[in-house]
Amino acid sequence: MRKTIFQQLSDSSLRPLPFVVIVAALSIIFGYSLGALFVNLQYITDFYILGESEIDVVFGTFILGGILGAFLGAGLCAGAGRRITLIGSAALGAASSLVTVFSPSFSVYLCSLLVMGVAFSLYTLSSLIYTSEITLPSNRGFCACLLPAAFLLGIEIGIFTPNLRPGGEGFPLYLLLVMIHFLALVIAILKLPESPRWLALSGYYDAALSVLFSLRNDMGIAARELAGVNECCRGEEKGAELFLQNTNFRKIVWLLLSLVLFIQLSGIVILPYTFSDLMIKTSYSKDFYMFSYSYDLLKASLTVALFGAVTAMFTVDRCGRRIPMMISAAVCAITLFGLCLISFSKIEIVSMAIISILIVMFIYSASVFLCCFMAVLVCEVIPLRGREFGMAMVLLVNYVTILLCLQLFLSVILTLDFKGLFFIEFIAAAVLCNITYNFVPNTNDSSIENIENRLFAGRDLVNLGKGVKH
């Protein structure tokens, strides 16, 4: 018999959803600040009297902050807990965002961007781990994908409301979002429980049981879940020590690092970044492809990325992790192959609409892949005693790869032209498809403790999601 809407809302699997919504709301201010940064580059250049090379420093500083945050995040999350790290990083991010708006000098602006990068990295690490540890398998993917969807929504708002500065048209909306962010922060301080898995790992078993009971509304379910968590807490090795001593843990970490490396090498950041340069190079009239067209292109790219996150949110539990990742990786490879064919032909005679469609398809599919992978799969397959370390390593490789791609893509274009860039990205996407097909497990409907037990039992990586469903 089909459940009524009231029965569905009272279902125990939805009890963690309000907490996830609060956590997701805290990411909007990060997205808005980053989106406003993209559309205010000209103002920043004029206000601080910057050259072209100095503009690259702006993005590099934010990414360096992300790298530093990844280093700090593992220790903070393991020592202080998920809740404190999450709330502290959200507060730090809002404060640094305000400083970027009111900074009197370029040095202060760069420092605030660095702090914002640190806060964003800490928030990403703690929020993704926290979400995976409080939700049930039946809707864990949906809840996890709420985080990147909210972040992209923030970027979208920032893109569509430029002039983020006192007196600019986007400034009142920015102040409203800051107020909403601080309200969500207060609610988070008052209402968010600590992760029951961190509490159990830290030895607070009674507190862990109490949190699980409040989340599940059934003492029997909470006790059985805690028993499974306690089994996973056994063992003295944690973090880097577990990575060095356990072969199975190393295998899953190397798989995740390989996936994040090749999705970045396939051009998820670089391709949209170079799109306007490609259009200028291949157009008959360079005057036509000016900032206004690039701005429209940026809005279109972020819109399809948001649709990709929403697609992942509604498919990752129904279809599993493996199928959306396989399809999206294949679409990435196909679109890059199409761009390769166009670039090796006389590109001037090809309609720019075809190139635009291919790149938009790439951004959409890459967004689906990233959401399924980064927001859902990573925290599911990393064992409890090494979860902070593994997530920090994934974020670290992600930021380092983005930084290297931003530094090297111009050299690749100057040496090999756009056809060389597309070819390299196509090869990376093809390797990504191969790794996904051969190694990525389908972990939906499996508890993260069961996945961990199969991993440490030596099960093949692609079969980690198979077994008794919970």
Side-chain angles (χ1 to χ4, degrees), residues 210-264:
S210 176
V211 172
L212 280 172
F213 174 67
S214 67
L215 290 173
R216 309 296 182 242
N217 199 31
D218 187 302
M219 185 56 75
I221 294 175
R224 287 194 298 271
E225 188 171 345
L226 181 60
V229 174
N230 288 336
E231 285 292 323
C232 295
C233 292
R234 295 180 179 179
E236 297 181 357
E237 301 88 0
K238 295 180 181 179
E241 186 180 359
L242 181 64
F243 177 80
L244 293 174
Q245 297 189 10
N246 192 283
T247 303
N248 294 313
F249 182 47
R250 286 199 301 272
K251 283 165 58 178
I252 197 64
V253 171
W254 288 128
L255 170 63
L256 298 175
L257 296 184
S258 300
L259 287 169
V260 74
L261 174 65
F262 283 105
I263 187 60
Q264 292 297 343

Side-chain angles (χ1 to χ4, degrees), residues 50-60 106 407:
L50 306 179
E52 290 187 16
S53 60
E54 291 173 308
I55 279 295
D56 292 336
V57 175
V58 172
F59 292 106
F106 186 56
Q407 293 297 317

Side-chain angles (χ1 to χ4, degrees), residues 39-57:
V39 296
N40 283 280
L41 283 179
Q42 189 59 52
Y43 170 78
I44 294 169
T45 302
D46 296 338
F47 185 80
Y48 295 114
I49 316 175
L50 306 179
E52 290 187 16
S53 60
E54 291 173 308
I55 279 295
D56 292 336
V57 175

Side-chain angles (χ1 to χ4, degrees), residues 149-177:
F151 173 70
L152 287 169
L153 177 62
I155 295 181
E156 189 88 339
I157 297 172
I159 293 294
F160 278 86
T161 55
N163 300 325
L164 174 57
R165 58 182 182 273
E169 62 185 74
F171 189 67
L173 176 61
Y174 172 71
L175 290 181
L176 176 62
L177 288 177

Side-chain angles (χ1 to χ4, degrees), residues 289-326:
Y289 297 99
M290 297 301 288
F291 174 76
S292 59
Y293 193 85
S294 298
Y295 178 50
D296 292 336
L297 183 62
L298 184 62
K299 290 191 290 187
S301 300
L302 266 300
T303 301
V304 298
L306 178 59
F307 282 132
V310 173
T311 301
M313 188 166 62
F314 286 102
T315 59
V316 72
D317 287 319
R318 183 179 297 272
C319 302
R321 288 44 162 160
R322 182 180 171 83
I323 294 176
M325 289 178 66
M326 270 300 305

Side-chain angles (χ1 to χ4, degrees), residues 15 31 83 106 130 143 152 157 164 172 207 246 258 260 271 283 292 309-310 362 365 368 374 388-389 400 427 435 469:
R15 291 181 68 84
R83 179 179 177 273
F106 186 56
Y130 181 80
C143 292
L152 287 169
I157 297 172
L164 174 57
N246 192 283
S258 300
V260 74
L271 196 56
S283 64
S292 59
V310 173
F362 173 84
S365 55
V368 174
M374 189 71 78
E388 306 90 350
F389 173 82
V400 170
I427 295 299
I435 295 174
K469 294 184 178 181

